[in-house]
Amino acid sequence: MAHDTTHAHESSTKRIWTVFIILSVITLVEVILGIIKPDFLVHTYFISLKLINWIFIVLTIWKAYYITWAFMHMEGETKGLRRSVVWTAGFLIVYLIFILLTEGDYVYEVMQREQIAWDF
């Protein structure tokens, strides 16, 4: 009986360190890209947004998913519950990004044509 507890503790400790390392690596990549800002990522646009911003968005969503998966213990839940949580959050995130990009691009275009002054 005591052996099972020790094994479970070692397994949990290993799991925590694995999650910590994965999230640290993703964060480190984000920080390095934010400091270095490679020219090909800064000057390349995709759907009215710089490629480096898309990379930040994808990495942040990936971290959020992994945090949900690990710390909310979603890997042990039923497939239906996992899908309902992940798909709902995924849909809302994609919808929010779409709205922000669409409205932001519209405001930028209006300001570029000098139809309204930048006096906010």
Side-chain angles (χ1 to χ4, degrees):
M1 187 68 148
H3 183 267
D4 292 337
T5 307
T6 306
H7 180 64
H9 175 68
E10 290 174 6
S11 176
S12 296
T13 305
K14 181 181 178 186
R15 174 80 173 136
I16 290 169
W17 279 108
T18 303
V19 170
F20 174 74
I21 290 169
I22 290 171
L23 293 176
S24 296
V25 167
I26 295 170
T27 302
L28 187 63
V29 168
E30 288 176 333
V31 169
I32 289 171
L33 284 176
I35 292 171
I36 294 174
K37 295 181 185 170
D39 286 337
F40 70 95
L41 293 176
V42 173
H43 299 299
T44 305
Y45 284 83
F46 179 70
I47 310 177
S48 301
L49 194 63
K50 294 177 184 177
L51 196 56
I52 195 165
N53 291 341
W54 281 111
I55 291 172
F56 288 144
I57 289 169
V58 168
L59 289 176
T60 302
I61 292 171
W62 189 13
K63 281 194 321 187
Y65 176 78
Y66 197 71
I67 288 169
T68 303
W69 185 261
F71 294 117
M72 293 178 67
H73 308 289
M74 293 301 285
E75 70 265 59
E77 296 296 337
T78 62
K79 186 185 292 187
L81 180 62
R82 285 194 314 248
R83 285 182 179 172
S84 67
V85 170
V86 172
W87 288 359
T88 303
F91 171 75
L92 291 175
I93 290 169
V94 169
Y95 180 69
L96 178 64
I97 290 171
F98 171 76
I99 294 296
L100 287 172
L101 292 177
T102 303
E103 294 297 320
D105 189 49
Y106 171 75
V107 170
Y108 178 77
E109 292 298 324
V110 167
M111 297 298 180
Q112 283 299 103
R113 288 188 240 135
E114 298 179 4
Q115 294 174 342
I116 299 175
W118 286 90
D119 296 334
F120 308 32

